[in-house]
Amino acid sequence: MRDVLDDLLRWWQAGKPVGLATVIATWHSAPRPAGATMLVGPDGTVVGSVSGGCVEATVYELCREVMASGVPRTQRYGVSDDDAFAVGLTCGGTIDIYVERVDQNRFPEFADVAAAIARRAPVGVLTCVDGPPERLGRHLVVWPDARGGSLGSDRLDDAAADDGRGLLAAGSTGLLHYGTDGQRRGDGLTLLFNAYPPPARMIVFGATDFAAAVARIGAFLGYRVTVCDARSVFATHQRFPYADEVVVDWPHRYLAAQARAGQIDDRTVVCVLTHDPKFDVPVLQVALDLPLAYVGAMGSRRTHVDRLARLREAGVPAAALARLFSPIGLDLGARTPEETAVSIAAEIVGTRWGGGGARLSETDGRIHH
């Protein structure tokens, strides 16, 4: 939704109907995850993707049909189809795609959803994708402390809102199943929950050329990027145009303050690129004591050995040191700041999804972990 939000909101505000296709379930090597979306605008414009190109043409026609009829539909695509090479996923995966018409009548709460996403406030949308005709396509919007819309029953709304808030806190998108009146052990209704939590944070310490390249690729990956350095002459917005925030402060003091303010979570990644022990060691002491997704530090092998010794002297336990990625990045033979940023980003992605960083041409088994 984030990828297509601006176009969808523009057409919604203009009172024009849009065909919205959403991946609701995947199996095997499907190229896009649940929640991936594609729009077909009133003028036939396509925005977004649901399969990376495998079934877009067929989904396009389905979107146009649903736009005209207003009746939502769910369609499965995969290699088991008779015409797999025409409309199926020749990569070997299978996906279920839900297609609905979105306009001001069918989704009056959409402007509130768009506003929450724009201001980085957590919000989730529950959509009935399977059930009685009178329930199909209904929406319930949930915030941590509020809700809007209805799925057609107070009991169902109560149950779905509670479960949705749990998924929203975890940042998870997926399907929920209920009885027709919200019975958790029942069946007859399937809801898609789309979670839109605030973007995960990437905090880059050190106002260097390498930091500028890492900030750029971090923004490309969807992180909210902060660059922090104690030296005001280097930490400027002009030098880091891709960063959401440029902060002048001592790294350890800034990170500790952010943790106390609840601005750090287990999705946060920290990259320490300062090359200076008086900055590196204090901020790594703080970082390695937090439940972060990733902590990496740049430096040569000699710098790494010296850094570990300093951290041990500072009392950082061995278990915490084992979480430190140092020297930072994968072995790609990188030389330039941009190449180094790719190696750092690759390590972050591999850590997130359990990838080993090996060449796929030299491995067997599943590609997607």
Side-chain angles (χ1 to χ4, degrees):
M1 181 68 77
R2 297 182 197 277
D3 297 336
V4 304
L5 183 65
D6 291 344
D7 294 283
L8 181 53
L9 181 60
R10 174 168 52 85
W11 284 317
W12 185 92
Q13 290 173 331
K16 297 179 179 180
V18 176
L20 175 63
T22 304
V23 177
I24 63 174
T26 67
W27 295 268
H28 306 301
S29 296
R32 298 299 307 276
T37 56
M38 185 181 92
L39 298 181
V40 176
D43 58 355
T45 300
V46 176
V47 183
S49 172
V50 289
S51 73
C54 299
V55 300
E56 257 70 357
T58 303
V59 174
Y60 174 83
E61 295 301 331
L62 185 57
C63 282
R64 291 180 65 86
E65 292 175 14
V66 170
M67 282 172 60
S69 69
V71 179
R73 289 179 57 186
T74 298
Q75 183 68 48
R76 176 167 295 179
Y77 299 96
V79 293
S80 60
D81 296 343
D82 292 336
D83 53 349
F85 285 92
V87 300
L89 296 169
T90 54
C91 60
T94 303
I95 56 176
D96 281 353
I97 295 178
Y98 172 76
V99 180
E100 62 184 318
R101 171 173 161 159
V102 175
D103 56 33
Q104 294 182 6
N105 291 327
R106 286 173 172 78
F107 198 174
E109 301 82 15
F110 175 70
D112 296 329
V113 175
I117 294 174
R119 67 174 185 270
R120 293 173 174 163
V123 64
V125 179
L126 290 140
T127 304
C128 183
V129 298
D130 187 29
E134 67 274 13
R135 299 284 183 87
L136 197 62
R138 282 180 170 265
H139 302 96
L140 179 69
V141 182
V142 294
W143 293 267
D145 56 356
R147 75 190 195 200
S150 177
L151 297 165
S153 134
D154 289 341
R155 180 178 176 183
L156 175 60
D157 290 347
D158 290 342
D162 286 345
D163 294 341
R165 289 189 182 105
L167 291 173
L168 180 59
S172 299
T173 288
L175 297 176
L176 298 170
H177 303 278
Y178 300 94
T180 54
D181 195 32
Q183 302 93 330
R184 283 193 170 88
R185 294 182 179 273
D187 54 27
L189 279 176
T190 300
L191 308 180
L192 170 67
F193 180 76
N194 262 310
Y196 305 107
R201 295 190 65 186
M202 171 184 282
I203 305 179
V204 183
F205 293 108
T208 67
D209 290 345
F210 289 94
V214 171
R216 182 175 185 177
I217 203 166
F220 175 74
L221 291 175
Y223 286 98
R224 172 190 161 198
V225 180
T226 300
V227 175
C228 176
D229 195 294
R231 302 164 297 177
S232 60
V233 68
F234 297 113
T236 65
H237 288 281
Q238 290 78 9
R239 296 188 70 232
F240 300 96
Y242 292 95
D244 295 277
E245 303 160 308
V246 179
V247 176
V248 179
D249 199 352
W250 280 79
H252 71 283
R253 185 167 62 190
Y254 174 75
L255 185 59
Q258 290 292 290
R260 288 193 300 271
Q263 298 300 308
I264 303 294
D265 61 25
D266 59 5
R267 301 177 301 148
T268 303
V269 303
V270 166
C271 302
V272 179
L273 311 181
T274 52
H275 288 290
D276 189 331
K278 71 174 178 289
F279 295 120
D280 288 2
V281 173
V283 74
L284 286 172
Q285 283 183 264
V286 177
L288 293 172
D289 194 40
L290 296 172
L292 303 175
Y294 173 90
V295 180
M298 178 176 280
S300 66
R301 299 288 184 188
R302 180 178 297 176
T303 298
H304 169 67
V305 171
D306 177 71
R307 180 187 293 133
L308 288 181
R310 291 172 182 268
L311 289 169
R312 290 190 189 99
E313 288 178 11
V316 178
L321 291 177
R323 296 174 43 235
L324 175 61
F325 291 84
S326 173
I328 196 170
L330 298 184
D331 179 12
L332 304 183
R335 294 291 187 273
T336 67
E338 291 74 19
E339 291 173 346
T340 303
V342 170
S343 80
I344 294 171
E347 185 172 64
I348 291 170
V349 172
T351 301
R352 178 183 181 187
W353 297 112
R359 299 172 189 261
L360 290 175
S361 61
E362 298 175 354
T363 61
D364 297 316
R366 296 180 60 183
I367 292 176
H368 299 110
H369 294 262

